[in-house]
Amino acid sequence: MMKEFRKVTITFGIITALGILLSLAQIEPFLAQTSQSKIEPANRSSGFRLPALSGSYQVGTTSYHLVDSSRKETYSSEVYDLRTRKLITSLPPTDRRELMVYIWYPAKVKPGATPAPYIDDGFALATSRVFGSGFGVSADVFTELVTQVVRTNSIPKASLANAQRHYPVVFFSPGFGSTPKQYSSQLEQLASHGYVVVGINPTYETPVLLPDGRVITQSTTFNFSSTGKQTEYRTFTDATSIRAKDVSFVLNQLERINVKDAQGLFSGRLDLSQIGIFGHSLGGNTVVEAMRLDRRIKAGISMDSGEYGELFSLTSKARLNRPFMVMSREKREVYSRLLYQRLNNDAYSLIIKGSKHNSFTDFGLIVPLFSAYSTEKEPPIKQTLGSIEPQRAAKIINAYTLAFFNIYLKNQNSPLLKGASPDYSEAIVEFRHR
């Protein structure tokens, strides 16, 4: 599995994973450039919309900048000031762990409200060369498309919907090198069905724009060009542990926000007795480790994860005793099976025929937008999406994610998880109940 996961991440490296090892010296020319827009004004104004919401709620979005004063940051990287367009050479304002947390939630939206951008400038600029190559476009075209053309369904700072007094909370952890915003469609869909969805950006694994204008790039810790397999394995295992601690920290902060939210959105409105978590790739490993360490989390879903963390050790006797679903691409890896076997509660395995590792991201949904600007006949990213049509893959993933959390966080019955469904013939479902 490790060899295969490395192959996946290197393939994904054209577009994410191990590929975003850009120093600010490399991205500085893109930040400084003032080249003429390559996108027609009509295309910028009309936009390219993510799939329409399937739930009964409209969706709002907001973010929080949180600092864990109990943990010293172990990673480092170059830091760029987006406002002054200069490297920051002075000491950072804190040596503690800093996180950007993005939240999607059921909302009451005013008519004509402007949706949030798909990707913020900092992430787009810092990754434009790598992602642009993956989508077959130049760096500046990639940046302009994801920051100005792709339209989300989420309205910034919209009021929380009043249909329910409290809403269950589900955490999300992205793949390595990715931001939660690259899974916006999934997160929006879940929020539209009455969940508050909390995406944690893994600082120093992927570029992040902080509110004060700093752009923190990826740490050189993740440059494995001159290291061996053991170093790589240890680094990702450590990253999984750090992410799991991030989840517990953010959950602690949500308890405070639920008492008094400075933004005035969530005070007294979060049902923190009903906590779920899901994640993709390294985020899937984070899900397992976070649940192992924090019993406040009641149910989880791992989407095509690697083998990092205690439960993935071949000699480990650890088991997970809360409801769990293992989602996998078509050619399921040995570690997906191992995880399923080590679940000591209600356990589900879902394999999606025709899918590949990146079928669990938004990439397949937005790749048609890039075709008009592509310099290649077929963008490299298409090789990572499998044979299943991206909209179809997204529909299956969203349906089973929703069914699972509805059962274990809302106590709602769902026949979808009881066996094969004629509506989703591409889904191979296995389950056992304890």
Side-chain angles (χ1 to χ4, degrees):
M1 170 62 184
M2 185 165 183
K3 180 179 180 182
E4 179 61 27
F5 188 65
R6 183 178 298 104
K7 181 180 178 182
V8 167
T9 56
I10 291 174
T11 300
F12 198 23
I14 322 175
I15 32 211
T16 185
L18 301 182
I20 307 178
L21 290 167
L22 296 180
S23 71
L24 289 181
Q26 290 175 287
I27 71 169
E28 194 170 5
F30 299 114
L31 290 164
Q33 69 185 4
T34 56
S35 60
Q36 187 176 359
S37 172
K38 303 293 193 303
I39 311 303
E40 294 293 333
N43 292 339
R44 289 201 305 274
S45 61
S46 60
F48 178 93
R49 204 68 176 258
L50 293 179
L53 299 173
S54 59
S56 59
Y57 293 96
Q58 296 169 301
V59 174
T61 187
T62 190
S63 63
Y64 292 81
H65 174 224
L66 303 176
V67 179
D68 186 350
S69 59
S70 70
R71 285 192 295 159
K72 187 174 182 178
E73 184 57 73
T74 58
Y75 296 128
S76 64
S77 75
E78 293 177 303
V79 180
Y80 195 89
D81 190 322
L82 194 62
R83 295 169 301 178
T84 63
R85 299 189 174 188
K86 294 180 180 179
L87 286 168
I88 296 175
T89 55
S90 58
L91 291 174
T94 178
D95 65 352
R96 304 290 104 173
R97 178 74 169 163
E98 288 187 84
L99 295 170
M100 282 305 300
V101 176
Y102 311 114
I103 300 183
W104 293 259
Y105 56 91
K108 182 179 180 181
V109 173
K110 295 179 180 179
T114 302
Y118 178 60
I119 299 292
D120 62 69
D121 290 342
F123 182 88
L125 289 165
T127 61
S128 59
R129 180 177 293 176
V130 173
F131 278 102
S133 174
F135 282 98
V137 298
S138 65
D140 54 338
V141 167
F142 171 80
T143 299
E144 193 166 355
L145 288 175
V146 298
T147 60
Q148 298 185 39
V149 178
V150 178
R151 306 278 181 173
T152 70
N153 298 292
S154 304
I155 307 302
K157 307 285 184 148
S159 299
L160 188 65
N162 290 321
Q164 295 177 216
R165 177 59 187 164
H166 304 95
Y167 294 94
V169 175
V170 178
F171 283 84
F172 177 77
S173 186
F176 175 71
S178 299
T179 169
K181 294 183 179 182
Q182 290 172 301
Y183 303 79
S184 288
S185 184
Q186 284 188 56
L187 310 186
E188 287 183 340
Q189 296 297 347
L190 192 57
S192 78
H193 287 273
Y195 290 90
V196 173
V197 185
V198 181
I200 303 176
N201 196 96
T203 316
Y204 292 99
E205 287 186 36
T206 189
V208 61
L209 172 64
L210 300 181
D212 61 6
R214 284 177 296 147
V215 177
I216 298 177
T217 59
Q218 187 183 74
S219 172
T220 54
T221 300
F222 299 101
N223 186 343
F224 304 114
S225 59
S226 59
T227 61
K229 295 179 181 179
Q230 290 184 341
T231 299
E232 182 179 331
Y233 179 83
R234 184 171 61 251
T235 300
F236 280 124
T237 298
D238 290 344
T240 299
S241 177
I242 290 170
R243 284 185 181 217
K245 292 174 183 176
D246 290 344
V247 172
S248 291
F249 164 69
V250 174
L251 183 46
N252 292 340
Q253 295 305 300
L254 288 182
E255 291 176 346
R256 297 180 182 180
I257 288 170
N258 203 30
V259 174
K260 186 177 182 180
D261 182 7
Q263 296 190 23
L265 285 171
F266 301 115
S267 300
R269 304 297 303 278
L270 305 177
D271 185 353
L272 297 179
S273 67
Q274 303 296 332
I275 301 290
I277 187 170
F278 70 125
H280 172 235
S281 195
L282 190 63
N285 296 95
T286 304
V287 168
V288 177
E289 187 67 4
M291 289 186 69
R292 189 180 74 85
L293 297 177
D294 197 326
R295 294 198 60 84
R296 291 175 293 181
I297 305 172
K298 296 186 65 174
I301 300 173
S302 171
M303 298 174 169
D304 216 42
S305 69
E307 75 271 34
Y308 308 106
E310 176 65 26
L311 258 75
F312 293 89
S313 168
L314 294 175
T315 59
S316 175
K317 297 185 182 299
R319 299 292 184 270
L320 198 60
N321 62 356
R322 272 153 288 161
F324 203 92
M325 174 179 284
V326 182
M327 285 191 185
S328 305
R329 62 186 183 274
E330 183 170 15
K331 294 183 178 180
R332 181 164 58 175
E333 306 301 334
V334 62
Y335 283 94
S336 294
R337 190 65 190 175
L338 176 65
L339 175 58
Y340 180 69
Q341 292 170 346
R342 289 181 170 179
L343 301 175
N344 282 349
N345 204 299
D346 291 358
Y348 302 86
S349 168
L350 171 66
I351 301 173
I352 303 174
K353 291 187 288 186
S355 66
K356 285 190 176 181
H357 192 61
N358 288 337
S359 298
F360 296 89
T361 72
D362 285 345
F363 295 152
L365 301 177
I366 66 174
V367 72
L369 169 64
F370 294 82
S371 60
Y373 308 95
S374 179
T375 57
E376 303 185 34
K377 185 176 181 180
E378 182 174 281
I381 194 172
K382 283 197 171 182
Q383 301 172 15
T384 72
L385 296 173
S387 60
I388 189 170
E389 198 276 324
Q391 295 268 1
R392 180 63 176 170
K395 186 174 183 179
I396 294 170
I397 292 165
N398 292 335
Y400 281 89
T401 299
L402 177 64
F404 177 82
F405 286 128
N406 278 351
I407 290 174
Y408 294 104
L409 300 184
K410 290 187 175 182
N411 197 30
Q412 296 178 358
N413 183 44
S414 178
L416 188 60
L417 298 188
K418 294 182 178 179
S421 168
D423 295 328
Y424 304 108
S425 58
E426 303 93 334
I428 303 172
V429 180
E430 181 180 348
F431 64 94
R432 65 175 189 272
H433 292 162
R434 295 289 176 91

